[in-house]
Amino acid sequence: MLSFLNPILLLGILGISIPIIIHLINKKKAVSHKFAAIDFLLETNKRILIKYKIRQRILLILRACLLLFLALSLAKPFIKNSGGSAEEKNIPTSNVIIIDDSFSMRYSDRHESFFLSAKTAAKQIVDALKKDDEAAVITCSSQEFQIPPELENDKKHLLNVIDRSQPSFMTTHIAHALDTAVEILATARTSVKRIFLLTDMTRNGWDPHWFKSGYEKLRRHVSRMHILDISEGKTLKNIAVTYVKPQITLSEKNLEALIKVTISNFSSVPVKDLPASIFVNGKKLSQGFFNIEANASETKEFFITVEKGKDYYGWVEIPEDNLFVDNKRYFTINAPQTIDALLIDGDPKTNIYESETFYLEKALNPGREHISSIKPSICSVHEINNITFANFNIIFLCNVETLPPEKIHELEKFVQEGGSVVFTLGNKVNADYYNNALSSLLPHRLHSIRTFSSNSSLSEEQPLHLKATERVHPVVRILSETQINTLSTVKFYRIFYIDPNPLGSCKTIFSFSNDTPALIERQVGRGKSVLFTASIDRDWTDFPVKSFFLPIMQQLCRYVTGSISEEISQEILVKQVWRYPCPYDINTIEITNSEGTQTIVQPQFDDNEKYFEYKETDTPGIYAVTANGRLHPQFPAYFPVNIDTAESNLEKIDQNEITAFMGGTKLSMTAVRVSKESDVLLGETKKTFWGYLLFLTFCVLFVESFVSRK
């Protein structure tokens, strides 16, 4: 419907009569001169007369149009699309304005982003509220983290809320926003309750499962739903870095980092020779080119050389497009440092396969197929006097019967100063000797050996199995779900029972199927002591030949030596929680986000697990971790925070699907360009075009001035 903001100025159309009157007053007749000598010019005069009349009529039309267009532009005409009933306009209403602030709303194919257009539309809705109307403004992506606001009729405050709103880096959660809107409107006393959703209509934000029951909430509490497509109904194109995975490849001489990069083309047009750059510690180290078919992805591998024991941060970057947020994806590389392990074999055999340390050595350093950062050295008890414990990071005592007193004292000092010791038992271990000589290091006092059946005739009981006591423990966390589920396949035919009272601050990592502790750790000074209550060879168990023996042993070494950071490299997405085990001697850590803001983090406790938890992952980028202002060997120097690339797919949802979702709720959907020249009213939209008329006025004026000079 055509309407005018200033209809009184339509009187200016009467000005069309002015050029008509002037034209009639100045109307002239062509003068004929009767002269025999110029009879041959008479025909020329007729042509001049015709041209003169045509030019005058053109000038008349131009001058009339000039005044007509000027009057119409001053009256500001607009076309109105109504979305509400007449009765809604005559009574007070309650309104909830939902602004989609997900990162896809940062898309911009003109002078401003979709989010800025949504803010402009929201302000126009607030400006159009009547005196008795009330409203609330909420954002779409983070409703699960916010307290719902109350309805109010203070337009100034509502406009301030809109001004302060900023686009987030999260995905769209329209279901959460609608839940909140219904909760707000449920308390309203007015009979007309409306929701205004300002969004780009991408499919990712719509959860079909919610609408299976959610439409009933809308039908009960909402009079009308107004959806404004800020993207103008256009098909949106986007290219994004959707996956980056660094992986360390060990060699004898150096470390090589393999970085897998996946780039996705969310458009119907193929992409050719798209450059992708790899930045490490702020420097560009590599570049590749991608050729991606329409609506497809491509993965490439990049290799860089890194130093052992050093942490790196970096990102993969492609050229900016209309949605630049997903053109960069961050990663970190925690290059493992070499761990020197001493394996003291208390029961060496001529046949190396029967040696106490054979399986342990192969697990820590498997050989050519898998180069490990753990370097084991083997010695017997008789060679121990020629070895200095301080030259190693971790000591394994494997079925060791006795140690010289001076070496016990050296071992105690080694652990107190930050070293680690692991006790594995066997038939040579005497409980009384260990309890007296090594009580300062043992987690629990040893009690007695218990034998279970298999091929043995000593007992009627079935062999014991292994189970994880603490799933969140770093040693257990390295295992896959399948490996954890298959722990019960391990058979233990003989174990050491221990005294239930611990000798210090202890924690059970694994236990047997009868709940007897199997692997126990104890904090001793700055170091750790670990007790495995069975043998580490195949004398008492088949544990060493299981597939998960290798990752458990390697992870145990990394954990007790404080070198576990390279294993905790899972990607953190925006608004996800970063969680990390807390060493006993650290009371606080500092985390600096990608914008340079530092947060002091205190440890927390959960089921006797001490850990740090950081929740302020609001922006993508590299986050730095320090303890007392310095890097700490038990923490990664950096961790990456990235966006959820599900939002990068800008496929639009069909309006018929939304209509079906609403289940009978009164619905209006509009796809218009929102700007200062295009206003959005309550339940209706209007598009003004006086600017175009003003432009035509200037064009007519230019043509008129050109014609009048002829």
Side-chain angles (χ1 to χ4, degrees):
M1 183 175 66
L2 182 64
S3 303
F4 299 89
L5 289 178
N6 301 317
I8 191 65
L9 294 181
L10 289 175
L11 294 174
I13 296 177
L14 298 176
I16 296 176
S17 60
I18 296 176
I20 296 175
I21 294 172
I22 294 175
H23 177 77
L24 294 174
I25 292 175
N26 292 335
K27 189 174 183 181
K28 297 180 181 180
K29 294 183 179 180
V31 180
S32 299
H33 299 279
K34 295 191 179 211
F35 193 76
I38 60 171
D39 282 343
F40 70 94
L41 296 175
L42 290 178
E43 292 300 321
T44 304
N45 286 336
K46 291 179 181 180
R47 291 196 300 271
I48 293 173
L49 178 61
I50 293 172
K51 289 182 179 180
Y52 180 79
K53 288 182 178 180
I54 293 174
R55 189 169 67 88
Q56 290 299 311
R57 287 173 183 173
I58 291 174
L59 284 173
L60 174 62
I61 295 172
L62 288 173
R63 288 165 181 168
C65 289
L66 179 66
L67 294 173
L68 175 64
F69 292 157
L70 181 61
L72 288 174
S73 62
L74 292 177
K76 293 188 176 181
F78 62 88
I79 297 177
K80 184 191 306 182
N81 298 319
S82 179
S85 62
E87 61 183 24
E88 289 182 7
K89 301 175 184 178
N90 300 322
I91 60 177
T93 62
S94 297
N95 308 276
V96 175
I97 304 169
I98 303 174
I99 302 176
D100 183 355
D101 63 341
S102 60
F103 78 74
S104 67
M105 291 290 285
R106 295 173 181 264
Y107 190 98
S108 176
D109 60 354
R110 49 182 187 261
H111 64 283
E112 67 178 16
S113 67
F114 289 165
F115 185 76
L116 291 179
S117 296
K119 289 176 66 172
T120 300
K123 290 179 181 179
Q124 292 168 359
I125 293 174
V126 171
D127 287 335
L129 290 173
K130 300 188 296 292
K131 181 180 179 181
D132 296 328
D133 292 338
E134 57 183 5
V137 178
I138 62 176
T139 55
C140 190
S141 68
S142 56
Q143 281 311 301
E144 54 187 317
F145 307 106
Q146 296 179 352
I147 299 175
E150 295 182 356
L151 292 166
E152 58 179 313
N153 53 20
D154 185 350
K155 287 189 178 182
K156 185 176 180 181
H157 181 260
L158 291 171
L159 292 174
N160 286 336
V161 172
I162 296 172
D163 279 330
R164 291 197 304 269
S165 63
Q166 296 294 329
S168 72
F169 293 95
M170 294 186 64
T171 55
T172 311
H173 298 291
I174 289 176
H176 288 304
L178 292 178
D179 262 333
T180 304
V182 170
E183 182 181 347
I184 295 171
L185 292 175
T187 61
R189 298 180 180 178
T190 59
S191 58
V192 178
K193 303 174 182 180
R194 300 180 291 195
I195 295 177
F196 297 86
L197 174 59
L198 314 179
T199 180
D200 55 8
M201 299 287 283
T202 55
R203 181 179 295 277
N204 175 64
W206 298 83
D207 182 8
H209 299 289
W210 182 87
F211 285 97
K212 290 180 180 179
S213 58
Y215 76 91
E216 295 182 358
K217 300 180 185 178
L218 295 173
R219 195 164 52 185
R220 285 199 311 267
H221 299 289
V222 180
S223 305
R224 181 176 289 274
M225 179 90 174
H226 302 287
I227 301 177
L228 183 63
D229 182 2
I230 301 297
S231 68
E232 307 173 33
K234 296 178 180 178
T235 299
L236 306 179
K237 302 176 182 179
N238 186 38
I239 302 174
V241 183
T242 52
Y243 181 80
V244 176
K245 179 65 176 179
Q247 181 178 340
I248 295 293
T249 302
L250 297 172
S251 64
E252 292 293 344
K253 296 182 179 180
N254 53 30
L255 297 178
E256 195 171 47
L258 165 65
I259 303 175
K260 291 185 177 181
V261 178
T262 300
I263 298 178
S264 301
N265 177 19
F266 299 107
S267 70
S268 57
V269 181
V271 175
K272 294 189 179 298
D273 297 327
L274 178 73
S277 302
I278 310 294
F279 290 81
V280 176
N281 288 359
K283 297 180 180 180
K284 183 177 177 180
L285 295 187
S286 183
Q287 180 173 300
F289 293 89
F290 286 72
N291 295 289
I292 315 172
E293 296 298 322
N295 298 309
S297 300
E298 184 179 7
T299 300
K300 287 184 179 292
E301 297 180 347
F302 299 83
F303 293 88
I304 61 172
T305 301
V306 296
E307 298 179 19
K308 292 183 179 180
K310 187 175 180 181
D311 292 345
Y312 296 84
Y313 66 89
W315 62 87
V316 179
E317 185 175 343
I318 61 175
E320 289 191 359
D321 54 11
N322 293 330
L323 183 61
F324 64 88
V325 178
D326 53 16
N327 298 141
K328 182 185 290 188
R329 198 160 190 86
Y330 301 90
F331 63 88
T332 58
I333 301 173
N334 306 114
Q337 55 186 336
T338 301
I339 300 174
D340 293 312
L342 176 62
L343 281 52
I344 304 176
D345 194 332
D347 189 18
K349 299 289 179 64
T350 304
N351 185 347
I352 62 171
Y353 298 101
E354 298 178 357
S355 176
E356 194 75 28
T357 58
F358 173 76
Y359 293 100
L360 178 59
E361 180 197 14
K362 295 304 179 185
L364 299 183
N365 195 340
R368 294 181 179 179
E369 294 83 8
H370 180 90
I371 303 298
S372 172
S373 60
I374 304 173
K375 304 299 180 185
S377 301
I378 302 176
C379 75
S380 66
V381 176
H382 304 293
E383 301 171 312
I384 200 172
N385 287 325
N386 300 322
I387 293 176
T388 302
F389 292 155
N391 294 333
F392 298 88
N393 303 105
I394 182 171
I395 310 294
F396 282 85
L397 273 67
C398 304
N399 196 17
V400 173
E401 185 175 5
T402 61
L403 285 175
E406 62 274 10
K407 299 307 288 186
I408 294 177
H409 178 72
E410 182 183 348
L411 184 62
E412 292 174 348
K413 182 180 178 182
F414 167 75
V415 177
Q416 286 284 345
E417 293 179 353
S420 301
V421 61
V422 178
F423 297 96
T424 67
L425 308 180
N427 58 350
K428 287 198 169 187
V429 171
N430 180 277
D432 292 335
Y433 172 77
Y434 267 62
N435 294 337
N436 294 326
L438 299 168
S439 60
S440 61
L441 296 176
L442 285 176
H444 287 255
R445 293 175 62 87
L446 302 182
H447 193 270
S448 59
I449 296 177
R450 181 70 180 272
T451 303
F452 299 86
S453 69
S454 176
N455 297 327
S456 172
S457 58
L458 300 179
S459 173
E460 296 293 332
E461 297 183 60
Q462 294 298 313
L464 299 180
H465 306 294
L466 198 63
K467 63 180 181 179
T469 306
E470 293 194 26
R471 287 288 197 94
V472 297
H473 194 281
V475 176
V476 182
R477 196 160 52 194
I478 195 65
L479 300 177
S480 66
E481 193 67 27
T482 301
Q483 290 174 322
I484 291 178
N485 292 334
T486 56
L487 285 175
S488 59
T489 62
V490 181
K491 296 179 180 179
F492 287 89
Y493 313 120
R494 184 175 293 185
I495 67 169
F496 250 103
Y497 275 10
I498 59 173
D499 192 300
N501 298 317
L503 296 176
S505 176
C506 298
K507 185 182 299 181
T508 300
I509 304 172
F510 290 98
S511 59
F512 298 113
S513 50
N514 65 352
D515 294 327
T516 302
L519 188 68
I520 317 150
E521 68 164 300
R522 173 188 174 185
Q523 189 70 47
V524 180
R526 294 170 53 194
K528 289 183 181 294
S529 170
V530 177
L531 173 64
F532 182 54
T533 57
S535 68
I536 204 69
D537 62 358
R538 296 196 62 185
D539 288 348
W540 292 6
T541 176
D542 61 356
F543 181 36
V545 296
K546 297 296 183 180
S547 61
F548 39 76
F549 180 72
L550 184 150
I552 288 177
M553 289 297 105
Q554 290 200 2
Q555 187 72 351
L556 178 64
C557 285
R558 295 190 183 103
Y559 170 66
V560 298
T561 58
S563 304
I564 199 172
S565 63
E566 72 270 10
E567 297 298 337
I568 306 180
S569 58
Q570 68 268 23
E571 186 178 54
I572 302 293
L573 298 181
V574 169
K575 278 296 182 182
Q576 286 186 348
V577 176
W578 178 84
R579 185 168 174 169
Y580 203 88
C582 175
Y584 85 102
D585 57 343
I586 299 296
N587 296 321
T588 61
I589 60 172
E590 306 88 36
I591 296 182
T592 305
N593 68 9
S594 57
E595 297 176 341
T597 302
Q598 188 178 86
T599 303
I600 306 298
V601 182
Q602 304 284 345
Q604 301 184 35
F605 292 88
D606 183 15
D607 293 333
N608 295 321
E609 176 81 5
K610 187 179 180 183
Y611 61 91
F612 288 109
E613 190 172 87
Y614 179 74
K615 300 179 179 180
E616 288 76 38
T617 55
D618 301 321
T619 58
I622 299 297
Y623 289 61
V625 183
T626 55
N628 298 321
R630 299 187 302 273
L631 298 179
H632 193 280
Q634 293 194 40
F635 292 101
Y638 315 98
F639 66 89
V641 174
N642 284 304
I643 57 173
D644 185 347
T645 54
E647 187 79 5
S648 297
N649 188 348
L650 303 181
E651 178 189 359
K652 305 294 280 293
I653 188 170
D654 187 78
Q655 292 190 5
N656 294 330
E657 292 183 67
I658 298 179
T659 302
F661 286 162
M662 294 302 167
T665 304
K666 291 183 179 180
L667 175 67
S668 65
M669 288 180 280
T670 310
V672 297
R673 178 172 180 175
V674 179
S675 63
K676 294 180 180 178
E677 292 78 27
S678 173
D679 299 322
V680 180
L681 301 177
L682 290 175
E684 57 192 27
T685 61
K686 64 174 185 178
K687 184 173 183 180
T688 62
F689 48 91
W690 62 271
Y692 302 107
L693 291 173
L694 193 60
F695 175 74
L696 285 175
T697 302
F698 285 109
C699 291
V700 170
L701 181 62
F702 174 78
V703 175
E704 190 275 340
S705 62
F706 178 78
V707 174
S708 63
R709 292 176 185 174
K710 296 292 185 179

